[in-house]
Structures are given as structure tokens and as C-alpha cells.
Amino acid sequence: MQNVSRVFKRTLLSVVLSATTLPPVFAANLTRDNGSPVGDNQNSETAGPEGPVLLQDSHLVEKLQRFDRERIPERVVHARGTGAFGDFVPSADLSDLTTAQVFSPGSKTPVFVRFSTVMGYRGSPEQARDPRGFAIKFYTGQGNWDMVGINWPIFFIRDAIKFPDFVHANKPGAVTGVQDPNLAFDFFAHTPEATNMLTHLYSDDGMPDSYRHMDGFGVHAFKFVNAKGEVHYVKFHWVSDQGKKDLRPGEIAASIGSDWNLMTNDLYGAIRKQDFPKWDLYIQVLKPSDLNKFSYDGLDDTKEWLGVPERKIGTMTLNRVPDNYFESTEESAFAPSRLVPGIEPSEDRMLQGRLFAYADTQMYRLGANYNSLPINRPLIDVHSNNQDGRMNASGRTGDVNYEPSGISELSQDPKYKYVQTPLSGTTQQIAIHKKQNFRQAGQYFESLTEQGKGDLVTALSGDLSHVTNEDNKYTMLSYFNKADPDLGARLIRALNADGSKVKTLSAKLSDE
Ligand code: HEM
């Protein structure tokens, strides 16, 4: 067969599947990068005992050059993370819903998972009050499927056009390099749809005590497409078999003080002890005609699908710690656009932006050929006509690097075409109609225990007390009061705020 770009399947298999770590080979000679043996790795070559170091010491020069280039840009968000290998085993036949083979009964799919915080730098403490990234790469027989989610079912904003502003306001500040609640709440005071997510963020759920003790969610709706081309909208939920455990506000400082790499050490410690963590995967399923039946927009990622039953469809087990942090965790690239036949994106406006942003940042962060890196390569051969670029080692052969062709055997198959979606209206720049910015935040608050409500108020009032701009502080209070008057009253008390002012502002807000 001509025109086949072969991915290094054998190398990938050894990286992804090998369960053992080889002992270090001490007998081998230290070499330079060209393989030639090193004679002295401790003393540079100098011009006599007092003279300068010689440029001709190419071992020294190469060593320093490679060292100078060790860092790549950290992820623009989710820079602090930790990864582990494992597998996914489906437990239900989903052929009525999707053609995705990852759900074929009897199959076992290798996975790589990366957990992360969002706003901190690469070496920042893992116990931040932050959502936790929960990203899974499934190495399926139909190519790689990435589910790039977090530990809650919702997000702060509902349109990708706001994401860079959201991140700028919440990342360490442009002047001080330090996170500043004044800037964050300046943004949130103008972003009422974030109220639901903020209520989660400041609850105890905002501080899981470890990655093993938290759930994961795909957040957005996706489309399942079956062999007949029928579409169902689905949401994904990973339920921790270890149960959920959180840190309470009074426990956070001691936890950071004891070990700020605690989440990684906990995960790797458990896996090394063969206490393999597991998560069961559940889905919610809706017919397209049912999406509009909510009092809110069914494709708004600031909302959960309340009242839609979940069904279990499989289990993921993490059972291997990577041997090389950089080549696995740092070089891994997850993207919501990395989908397989039978799973397609929904029209959720945030998801649509994400479909572009991840591969784009990864071409910058890792280079155009990041998909050929061992951690990102599919287990199956790749036959695309994408070629060349910096650091390309895909090993493609053959001179037919185009399609259609009468001399290449590569072809397309119409059964993998994207599903057709009915459209209406004109192009537009208009917010969604059923915004309902506050109700689910109130329902979430009401679902908490008395202790949970108290902890939420302690944590939230702690950060709001740093907000010096009174307009922003009162606007935030009005949002929480609109969500739930009891939450509002508790925050007013904790901050010694003017309750009638909060109520007046709150009364002006719409929750439609
Ligand atoms: C339009 C909105 C969003 C944009 C533009 C965006 C963009 C990004 C970018 C550029 C990265 C870095 C990727 C890399 O360097 O490899 C990233 C990482 C990540 N994002 Fe988002 N993001 C958005 C919303 C979300 C949402 C709603 C979720 C959760 C459902 C999410 C979950 C994650 C996770 C888990 C990672 C880390 C993946 C890893 O471990 O490598 N993001 N995001």
C-alpha cells in the first residue's frame, strides 16, 4: 500500500501498555546525544590550569544547550497536573445510542488521565480553591477520544468569547503576578451566569481532599449517533468508587503546609500500593426534542440537567504511574474536538469554542506534530495526508500525499460523515433566551447540609471581604441573595453588609 503514514505503533504500545519498569542499566557508558561515549562529565576542558574553558568542549556545550531548552510553555490554564494510565471497561450495550466501539461489550480500552487545577502555575500547590480538571484520553480502536471535563457538572460562563477575559481576571494579576479577588469579582459582578459555579467553588466540594475522592463530569452535552444516524444528547458523569471527601475551610492551610503536592502523592501512593482507584461512568440521555423542555437552555453549560436519570455504562481503573513526567503528563494533549465515530459535539456555545482552542494551543505549546508524540499517538495506524512540519517523525512513505487519487488505496467512507443537524434563523450575535442565572445556585445551596452551608459562607465571605470596590461587592451579594435569600442573609451577616441595599439590588434581577 502506498501513501501510508505509519505512526510508531510499537513504541506507543510499549509506552502505553507496558506495566513494568525496567531497572536502571548501570553498566552502560554515559553518552552524548549522538551516542558517543563521555570521558569526563565532571570537569570542563580548559586552556591549562588557569585558562578559560574551551568552546571545543562540545559535550559541555551540548549539555548546556539542551538544559537551556528543557522548559516548554506551560498550559495557559490547567498548568498544574498529574497523570496516570489505566483502562476503561464498558458495562452496557449502547449500540442503540452510538456506534462508538469504546462501548462495545467485552472490550477494554487503555486510557491516560490527567487531573489538574486551573489557575495556578505549573509548580503551584495542589490544594487550590479551583475546579479540578478531569481529562481522559481513550486509546480506542477507532482512534483517540478525549473527554476533557472537570469535577463539577457546570462551568462559570456559557460563551467561549468570554473565556480569555474569565482567565485573565482569575489568573495571577498582570501587575503583581498574584491572584486578586478584587479582579476576579470585578469580572464575576458582570457575569451573573457564574453564580451557580461560584456557589460550587466556595462549597466544600471546591476543595476535594484528593483526586481519588472526587467525581468527574463532561459538563457539556455531546451527541451520540447510532448506526441509523439517530441522535441523542448525552452528558457524562464519573462517580468515584472511593467516595467523595473534601477539605473544610479550617483544614486547608494545614494541608498545604503538610504537603502541597498532596494530590499527586496520594494518587501515586495508592496506585503504587495497588490500591487502584476506580470511577464508574454514568450518562444522562435526552432525545433532541426533549432539550427544550427545561425552564433553562438545555445546552447552557452553566446548568445541570436536573431530573434526568443517570445510567451506568462502564468503569475506569487507574493502575499505572507514568515513568516519565514530561513525556506523559506534560506532553499529553487533550482536546474536546478529538472525537470518534458515534460521538459528536453538541451546539453548546462553550464547547464549540473549545473545539478550536485546544488543538490550536497544543500546536503552539508542543508543535504541529504533537499528535505523533508517544502519549498522544493513537494505537491504530494513522493515514492522513497531513505531513512535514517541525520535529516530524511520523515515518509516512509513498509519493501520493493527496486525495482523490487513482493510484492510492486510501479512501473515505461515507458512513463516517458527520450527522446532519437541522438549522433555523439568521446569523446573529444574541445571548441565549432562557438564562435563568440564579435558580440552580439556590437549589445547590439548599441541597447542602447545615455544616456545608456554613463552610460555603465562611469560604465565600472570606474572599468577598477582600473586595474593595463596594459596587462589585454588593452586586455579588445581590446575586447570591437572588439565588437563595438564606445564603444572602448569611453572607450579609458575615460581611456586616447593608441588607436592605442587597435586597433592593436583588429585586431588580431577573431569573428568567
Ligand atoms: C471556551 C472555553 C474554554 C477554552 C477556550 C479552554 C481552553 C483551554 C486551553 C487552551 C487549555 C490548555 C490545553 C493544553 O495546553 O493542552 C485548557 C485545558 C483544559 N481545559 Fe479548558 N477551556 C475552556 C473551557 C473549559 C471547560 C468548560 C472545561 C470543563 C468542562 C475545561 C477543562 C479543561 C481541562 C480539564 C484542561 C486540562 C487538560 C489537560 O489535563 O491537559 N475547559 N483549556
Side-chain angles (χ1 to χ4, degrees), residues 88 100 102-103 136-140 143-147 222 224 236 238 281 335-336 338-340 343:
F88 173 77
V102 64
F103 300 117
I136 305 102
K137 188 178 288 296
F138 298 80
Y139 300 90
T140 91
N144 291 352
W145 171 37
D146 294 351
M147 192 200 293
F222 286 81
F224 268 178
F236 299 100
W238 295 102
L281 182 58
R338 225 150 281 138
L339 297 164
V340 288
I343 309 174

Side-chain angles (χ1 to χ4, degrees), residues 73-82 112-118 131-136 147-164 166-167 197 217-220 222 301 329-336 338 348-366 370:
E74 65 176 34
R75 287 165 174 81
V76 62
V77 280
H78 294 263
R80 178 73 211 260
T82 191
F112 179 70
V113 173
R114 184 172 177 273
F115 299 113
S116 51
T117 54
V118 183
R132 296 301 189 284
F134 195 131
I136 305 102
M147 192 200 293
V148 197
I150 51 172
N151 59 330
W152 301 322
I154 51 168
F155 201 68
F156 295 93
I157 49 172
R158 56 168 75 103
D159 191 319
I161 202 164
K162 294 190 177 199
F163 191 76
F166 157 70
V167 173
M197 185 72 165
F217 294 86
V219 178
H220 311 284
F222 286 81
D301 72 347
T329 309
E330 202 55 23
E331 289 194 326
S332 60
F334 300 85
R338 225 150 281 138
D348 176 328
R349 294 177 185 191
M350 275 287 282
L351 175 60
Q352 294 279 320
R354 296 180 74 201
L355 297 175
F356 164 76
Y358 288 69
D360 186 53
T361 197
Q362 286 151 6
M363 286 189 202
Y364 162 69
R365 181 167 72 82
L366 298 162
Y370 69 96

Side-chain angles (χ1 to χ4, degrees), residues 382-415:
V382 172
H383 303 291
S384 83
N385 286 323
N386 300 327
Q387 66 171 24
D388 301 352
R390 209 165 271 162
M391 305 297 282
N392 191 314
S394 68
R396 80 168 297 286
T397 55
D399 52 7
V400 185
N401 52 0
Y402 52 86
E403 197 279 340
S405 156
I407 50 176
S408 162
E409 291 172 27
L410 277 185
S411 62
Q412 60 204 12
D413 184 339
K415 81 172 179 235

Side-chain angles (χ1 to χ4, degrees), residues 153-154 196 200 235 284 286 293-296 303-309 436 439-444:
I154 51 168
N196 194 14
H200 284 69
K235 285 201 179 200
Q284 291 175 298
L286 282 182
K293 293 195 173 158
F294 298 109
S295 56
Y296 43 90
K303 302 293 182 319
E304 294 182 65
W305 285 352
L306 294 179
V308 180
Q436 214 177 84
R439 205 166 308 173
Q440 281 201 4
Q443 288 163 339
Y444 178 71

Side-chain angles (χ1 to χ4, degrees), residues 193-265:
E193 66 269 32
T195 308
N196 194 14
M197 185 72 165
L198 288 171
T199 310
H200 284 69
L201 180 69
Y202 284 94
S203 74
D204 288 341
D205 249 11
M207 291 296 305
D209 84 342
S210 66
Y211 289 134
R212 292 182 306 129
H213 291 138
M214 64 181 204
D215 283 3
F217 294 86
V219 178
H220 311 284
F222 286 81
K223 287 177 183 167
F224 268 178
V225 186
N226 67 16
K228 288 190 249 169
E230 293 163 336
V231 170
H232 288 84
Y233 285 82
V234 291
K235 285 201 179 200
F236 299 100
H237 179 188
W238 295 102
V239 176
S240 166
D241 268 25
Q242 297 70 241
K244 281 168 67 174
K245 283 192 200 151
D246 304 318
L247 294 174
R248 299 190 58 202
E251 299 168 338
I252 297 167
S255 175
I256 298 175
S258 71
D259 177 8
W260 80 14
N261 304 303
L262 186 110
M263 313 268 292
T264 299
N265 289 334

Side-chain angles (χ1 to χ4, degrees), residues 44-193:
S44 306
E45 189 181 14
T46 58
E50 291 94 27
V53 172
L54 296 177
L55 190 58
Q56 73 178 22
D57 185 348
S58 44
H59 170 54
L60 166 72
V61 171
E62 179 185 81
K63 194 171 168 183
L64 293 179
Q65 283 174 325
R66 286 301 306 270
F67 175 72
D68 292 346
R69 289 163 178 77
E70 278 181 11
R71 299 290 173 269
I72 57 170
E74 65 176 34
R75 287 165 174 81
V76 62
V77 280
H78 294 263
R80 178 73 211 260
T82 191
F85 292 100
D87 53 54
F88 173 77
V89 176
S91 60
D93 181 0
L94 294 188
S95 52
D96 57 327
L97 292 174
T98 174
T99 54
Q101 282 174 12
V102 64
F103 300 117
S104 298
S107 64
K108 189 189 241 193
T109 301
V111 298
F112 179 70
V113 173
R114 184 172 177 273
F115 299 113
S116 51
T117 54
V118 183
M119 294 299 170
Y121 294 131
R122 187 149 54 194
S124 55
E126 293 187 299
Q127 298 93 327
R129 187 168 294 284
D130 215 3
R132 296 301 189 284
F134 195 131
I136 305 102
K137 188 178 288 296
F138 298 80
Y139 300 90
T140 91
Q142 294 171 304
N144 291 352
W145 171 37
D146 294 351
M147 192 200 293
V148 197
I150 51 172
N151 59 330
W152 301 322
I154 51 168
F155 201 68
F156 295 93
I157 49 172
R158 56 168 75 103
D159 191 319
I161 202 164
K162 294 190 177 199
F163 191 76
D165 301 299
F166 157 70
V167 173
H168 290 173
N170 281 278
K171 272 268 196 191
V175 172
T176 59
V178 175
Q179 273 180 309
D180 184 349
N182 263 304
L183 302 175
F185 283 110
D186 184 31
F187 177 80
F188 289 132
H190 299 88
T191 314
E193 66 269 32

